[in-house]
Amino acid sequence: MSLDLKPKKWAGALREVTLGAGSRRPVAVGGGNGLPLHTFEAAFPHRPALALEITDVDPVRWVESVRQPWEGVLGRPAEAARRAVADFGADLLLVHLMGTHTDRGNRSPEQAAADVGAVLEAVNVPLIVKGPGAGQKQNTVLARVAEDCRGEGLALHSATNEDYKTLAAVAVAYGHALVGESPIDVNMAKQLNILLADSNVDLNRVLIDPLTGGLGYGLEYSYSVMERIRLAALGGDAMLNCPIVCLVGEEAWKAKEAKVPADKEPLWGSQRERGIHWEVATAMTLIEAGAEVVVLRHPETLDRIRKQLDSWFGSEPSHDREGVVQNSFRATDEHR
Amino acid sequence: MPLTGLQIFKLLPNTNCKKCGYPTCLTFAMKLAAGKEALEKCPDASPEAKAALGAASAPPIRGVTVGRGDRAITVGEETVFFRHEKTFVRHPGLFQIFDPAGLTAAERDAKLDHWRAIRIERAGETFQVDGIAVVETAESVAAAVAASDRGFPVAILAATLPGATAIAERIKEHRPLLVPPAGANLEGYAALAARLGIPLVVGAPDLASLADAARDAARAGVTDILLEPPGADPRLLHHSLSAIRRGALDRIHPGLGHPVFLCVGAGEIEKAVLGITKFASLVALADCGGETWLPLWTLRQNIYTDPQKPLQMDPGLYAIGEPNDRSPLLVTSNFSLTYFIVSTEAEASGVACHLAVVDAEGLSVLTAWSAGKFSGDRVAKALREMKAAERVSHHTVIIPGYVPVISGELEDALGDGWHVLVGPQEASDIAPFFRDVWGPLARDLGTHP
Ligand code: B12
Ligand code: SF4
């Protein structure tokens, strides 16, 4: 009996969004016309892109095992960027201007723009630039960065339903992309895109950040909302078919389970490995749900996720595809 | 696929005798199609009708039970591709792969006892090692018996048919799962599983032969089958897992309607992640450290939570340690994850306290607050219902640091003599808060926490 597994065809496809312009080596994401990773029945012009997060000031709350690979460059964004690209192989970077927050140094918009400028000089990958969080300061900081770095095709993070006008305007004026953030809700994600489109933002330059719940802390909500956004996009909804970006590192490393040392919880195993596994599991799960850009903190996570994605998207034909599972602990037929 | 009303109608006698309580066979057929009636109500239905309807209403993926007694685990019976469509019902069992070669009996028992003792509470669930997958070696009969004696469901990772037979015979009452070696000729294993009435894993190099092999095993008399998907690399594994689930739901081949079994080698946590999210029902893991198991248990908990109703605690006043009328009173929401985090941290502080868990429809503190379920009025009402005023003499309530905005409304609603104290934002700061804020305050109030 032969198996009649019909490939699933969809009416719609994701928009293709290109990050980076000007002096950047651009990275395009999205464009696929099937469920995430369903390469057996759909076409995906681009693989999910992997970003590393760098910060303008020393991120003192990062746990030791994430600080370790960045030793010597924390709080020095240009050097961190160089390491992230040259040593760790990031496709793009998220520059988190956390130091501009009023409680974390209150750095000025000028300083922020200078920091981003230094990163642009240090590396040629596209940048996502994340402000200090919702509010007036966020807008002044990102507007200044947008202006000073015009033409570089940055992705500004982030516009929300309550506050999008300033960022929409500067993104359009200075040639940047925009990340629209909404709290784990399909309708709010759609509403925001409608608002952005009404403000003359080209949705081919928009990424959706549906807000990430980390493993054990709301991951299931993000997972299902992302699946539903993807299904809507494939169903032809032109207001929900932007690629999704997930800030994985930030959420994964917030978890107590990623941070507690082994001697405090003997059954939990090594803290270093556990933390990386926490980030790997969060990232992999969200890529399965439809993330097209994941932002990570630990370079080892990036390396491991890249190896996984090579299996789906690698240029080299995957070896032994039709072969059987060969694990060291499983005997093979020869033993019989 | 369920039958339509018209298809069912064609199977009925069409005499309109009304014995079923409906005026015509067609009306009755429509009710059946909608799942609102049972065929038994028609006394004249033919055996063919019964068979056709029975097959159509059977779950698209069969249930399989491994093991016996308290720890027995049933998997399968899933009905959807996306968890938001309904829910994933039977979470995958996580089995520990155990190679007893070279271990003394004492060493072997120590490992099994250690695994049996593992219990990790998280957000209303107890994580434990669900079963032991024993690798067949010379020592395996004793190891399988030792695992079964400890109540573990056992999977036999067979190397040879005679070896597997020896193990299976010894523990057959415990319903072990028989896992033939990769690439094995399945006939002998199927005969063994059929004879002993135990579940069998069926593998094949491609999906079509896998479905055929499962069908053949069923024909050979094996009632409980699991499929081991082709999966030499992540891409192929993902393809196989997705195709099996979709094929089972669409009922395109009877051989696909079984739960899935997956073996995960050392250092392959990504493969287990793929399995847990994408429809695997039993996952045998070679790694044994908490750094591998904790993320996987947690992922399973996330994916298998009912998306329609978050895990909730019963609202009420919970005691942490042995609190008295001078102990601090904390208030939080009834989202299990929130309760679990807050109660764990409160307990770790070493200060006995009262934890008032307010019905916030299972939402986290901030989510509940934005949805109007953690307002001052609601919290006050809940505290009154719990008779909190009779439990603490200081009439002070500590609220989560993320919702300072409710303090005024809460104080007003609670009325005379109540104070609201804004606690820290993160539960992990409860211990220092007790020490630095509550301690001195309680001394001022003339009480001793
Ligand atoms: C998962 C999630 C959801 C899930 C709900 C999950 C659930 N069961 O609660 C869903 C998708 C349904 C959801 C919906 C909404 N959400 Co929501 N959601 C989240 C998310 C990602 C995680 C929440 C979570 O689970 N946290 C973990 C738990 C354990 O946290 P917690 O309960 O607060 O407990 C911590 C502390 O408060 C403290 N604590 C708790 N109790 C106590 C007690 C004491 C005494 C002390 C000292 C400390 C303490 O300890 C815990 C750990 O430290 C957050 C963003 C984020 N990353 O945090 C947004 C978030 C909470 N959501 C938000 C919003 C706006 C909404 C919606 C209103 C959106 C909408 N319009 O649809 C809806 C409202 C729900 C509704 N109408 O039904 C906002 C709230 C904004 C605000 N500041 O008010 C947030 C912060 C996202 C954001 N940045 O915009 N959400
Ligand atoms: S009892 Fe059976 S035969 Fe009689 S009307 Fe009902 S369906 Fe038709």
Side-chain angles (χ1 to χ4, degrees):
Chain A
M1 198 163 161
S2 76
L3 265 193
D4 186 18
L5 287 164
K6 289 192 197 68
K8 206 153 195 139
K9 295 292 167 209
W10 301 88
L14 288 195
R15 290 172 190 271
E16 200 171 309
V17 172
T18 300
L19 302 171
S23 66
R24 308 294 87 197
R25 177 166 47 81
V27 170
V29 293
N33 63 2
L35 291 169
L37 303 178
H38 284 226
T39 49
F40 55 90
E41 59 181 8
F44 296 86
H46 309 292
R47 48 189 280 161
L50 306 179
L52 283 172
E53 176 177 349
I54 59 176
T55 57
D56 55 348
V57 293
D58 186 348
V60 287
R61 280 153 76 171
W62 285 18
V63 65
E64 186 49 38
S65 53
V66 201
R67 294 176 62 85
Q68 190 264 325
W70 300 99
E71 204 186 292
V73 297
L74 287 170
R76 295 158 66 190
E79 272 119 290
R82 236 176 254 122
R83 189 179 292 180
V85 175
D87 298 352
F88 302 150
D91 300 325
L92 69 163
L93 299 177
L94 178 135
V95 184
H96 185 182
L97 299 170
M98 55 164 61
T100 58
H101 194 283
T102 40
D103 299 343
R104 291 202 215 154
N106 203 12
R107 288 167 70 78
S108 68
E110 292 70 35
Q111 285 171 310
D115 286 338
V116 177
V119 173
L120 286 171
E121 244 164 63
V123 294
N124 67 355
V125 299
L127 308 184
I128 303 171
V129 181
K130 178 169 155 56
Q136 186 53 37
K137 186 72 189 280
Q138 161 111 324
N139 285 338
T140 48
V141 166
L142 291 182
R144 180 60 191 257
V145 170
E147 184 178 353
D148 285 13
C149 309
R150 70 182 61 134
E152 293 290 339
L154 309 175
L156 306 176
H157 189 291
S158 64
T160 63
N161 282 279
E162 294 77 38
D163 188 4
Y164 62 91
K165 289 189 178 140
T166 309
L167 291 188
V170 297
V172 173
Y174 302 117
H176 299 301
L178 194 53
V179 180
E181 182 184 329
S182 46
I184 325 192
D185 187 300
V186 180
N187 297 324
M188 290 178 76
K190 178 166 176 164
Q191 189 198 359
L192 178 55
N193 275 355
I194 294 173
L195 293 172
L196 293 178
D198 286 348
S199 310
N200 293 324
V201 175
D202 176 2
L203 288 190
N204 294 320
R205 308 218 59 194
V206 168
L207 299 176
I208 296 175
D209 181 347
L211 217 122
T212 302
L215 176 58
Y217 295 86
L219 177 66
E220 70 274 35
Y221 295 96
S222 299
Y223 185 80
S224 286
V225 161
M226 285 164 59
E227 288 197 324
R228 290 170 57 202
I229 291 176
R230 181 65 155 244
L231 287 169
L234 295 177
D237 191 331
M239 289 295 138
L240 273 174
N241 57 359
C242 303
I244 289 177
V245 54
C246 287
L247 273 52
V248 167
E250 179 177 315
E251 293 302 324
W253 290 99
K254 232 198 250 175
K256 170 177 178 168
E257 289 86 343
K259 296 192 287 202
V260 168
D263 52 3
K264 274 190 89 180
E265 292 283 357
L267 284 180
W268 289 12
S270 144
Q271 183 263 325
R272 198 193 103 86
E273 306 306 318
R274 184 179 354 111
I276 294 170
H277 285 162
W278 214 261
E279 194 178 27
V280 165
T282 306
M284 202 56 219
T285 300
L286 292 176
I287 288 171
E288 288 169 35
E292 300 285 333
V293 181
V294 292
V295 183
L296 305 165
R297 279 191 180 163
H298 203 295
E300 214 169 298
T301 308
L302 182 124
D303 199 51
R304 286 172 49 184
I305 298 291
R306 181 183 305 292
K307 290 205 177 87
Q308 291 293 306
L309 292 178
D310 282 347
S311 174
W312 280 271
F313 303 98
S315 46
E316 310 258 312
S318 177
H319 54 280
D320 192 22
R321 281 216 171 130
E322 306 308 321
V324 292
V325 189
Q326 295 283 351
N327 287 324
S328 53
F329 52 85
R330 292 289 302 279
T332 56
D333 213 19
E334 291 148 38
H335 294 87
R336 296 183 329 122
Chain B
M1 234 170 290
L3 301 179
T4 66
L6 225 48
Q7 284 169 320
I8 297 175
F9 172 67
K10 289 186 187 141
L11 297 165
L12 293 174
N14 197 14
T15 54
N16 299 336
C17 74
K18 303 189 175 57
K19 280 185 246 169
C20 58
Y22 291 92
T24 64
C25 294
L26 183 61
T27 340
F28 184 60
M30 292 303 179
K31 291 286 170 191
L32 280 174
K36 296 205 167 101
E37 271 304 345
L39 185 63
E40 287 73 57
K41 290 221 178 139
C42 169
D44 304 325
S46 64
E48 294 77 51
K50 285 178 185 155
L53 269 168
S57 63
I61 298 169
R62 296 180 57 108
V64 173
T65 301
V66 180
R68 270 204 209 290
D70 293 349
R71 288 183 96 122
I73 179 158
T74 301
V75 294
E77 296 176 347
E78 301 294 341
T79 57
V80 290
F81 192 86
F82 298 104
R83 61 187 287 284
H84 63 79
E85 292 174 282
K86 196 161 179 202
T87 170
F88 293 169
V89 286
R90 294 212 178 264
H91 75 196
L94 301 182
F95 278 40
Q96 177 69 61
I97 293 176
F98 179 38
D99 184 350
L103 298 182
T104 65
E107 287 165 342
R108 174 199 70 210
D109 288 351
K111 273 186 187 276
L112 290 170
D113 287 336
H114 167 68
W115 288 325
R116 188 175 57 169
I118 293 177
R119 292 175 65 83
I120 297 179
E121 307 290 334
R122 187 178 202 285
E125 186 183 339
T126 305
F127 297 159
Q128 55 177 21
V129 176
D130 296 315
I132 303 290
V134 180
V135 179
E136 182 198 327
T137 65
E139 291 87 350
S140 298
V141 176
V145 169
S148 292
D149 284 349
R150 284 166 176 75
F152 279 121
V154 168
I156 303 166
L157 300 183
T160 66
L161 185 55
T165 308
I167 303 172
E169 291 276 9
R170 277 296 298 277
I171 59 168
K172 60 174 186 283
E173 298 79 38
H174 299 279
R175 278 188 74 77
L177 171 68
L178 182 59
V179 188
N185 179 337
L186 290 173
E187 255 170 67
Y189 290 94
L192 175 62
R195 178 165 65 81
L196 300 181
I198 60 175
L200 173 76
V201 168
V202 168
D206 62 79
L207 286 171
S209 359
L210 181 66
D212 286 348
R215 184 203 51 204
D216 294 346
R219 284 184 183 155
V222 183
T223 44
D224 296 312
I225 295 169
L226 281 89
L227 308 174
E228 183 166 18
D233 59 34
R235 183 202 68 92
L236 181 62
L237 179 62
H238 176 260
H239 176 182
S240 305
L241 290 164
S242 308
I244 290 172
R245 171 59 63 91
R246 196 189 283 165
L249 297 180
D250 292 350
R251 297 178 198 261
I252 61 165
H253 187 303
L256 293 181
H258 304 282
V260 165
F261 173 84
L262 204 61
C263 247
V264 175
E268 293 188 328
I269 193 171
E270 293 88 342
K271 183 175 176 183
V273 167
L274 197 56
I276 288 171
T277 45
K278 295 291 172 198
F279 324 128
S281 286
L282 275 187
V283 181
L285 300 166
D287 282 327
C288 58
E291 61 279 339
T292 300
W293 281 71
L294 192 62
L296 295 177
W297 274 317
T298 308
L299 179 63
R300 178 182 75 175
Q301 181 178 45
N302 280 174
I303 297 294
Y304 280 77
T305 301
D306 183 345
Q308 265 95 45
K309 53 172 189 329
L311 289 171
Q312 306 191 11
M313 295 294 297
D314 291 332
L317 201 58
Y318 288 76
I320 308 288
E322 289 174 17
N324 56 32
D325 64 338
R326 285 157 294 144
S327 306
L329 167 66
L330 306 173
V331 63
T332 192
S333 91
N334 72 325
F335 182 30
S336 335
L337 178 62
T338 302
Y339 169 82
F340 151 78
I341 295 171
V342 175
S343 60
T344 308
E345 295 297 340
E347 212 163 294
S349 76
V351 177
C353 54
H354 303 277
L355 182 56
V357 175
V358 174
D359 182 2
E361 294 175 15
L363 296 174
S364 81
V365 169
L366 266 183
T367 315
W369 176 76
S370 11
K373 313 284 187 215
F374 204 76
S375 61
D377 281 340
R378 262 182 94 109
V379 173
K381 186 159 165 275
L383 287 172
R384 267 197 300 279
E385 279 166 9
M386 293 169 201
K387 301 199 176 10
E390 297 168 20
R391 305 295 283 276
V392 291
S393 55
H394 49 72
H395 290 188
T396 301
V397 56
I398 302 168
I399 62 170
Y402 280 116
V403 287
V405 291
I406 70 166
S407 45
E409 187 188 312
L410 177 58
E411 223 159 52
D412 291 347
L414 281 170
D416 282 352
W418 275 89
H419 312 277
V420 174
L421 191 58
V422 178
Q425 294 191 332
E426 295 300 328
S428 48
D429 293 327
I430 286 179
F433 176 82
F434 279 164
R435 191 186 58 222
D436 303 336
V437 182
W438 174 257
L441 188 84
R443 271 194 292 282
D444 286 352
L445 293 169
T447 62
H448 298 278

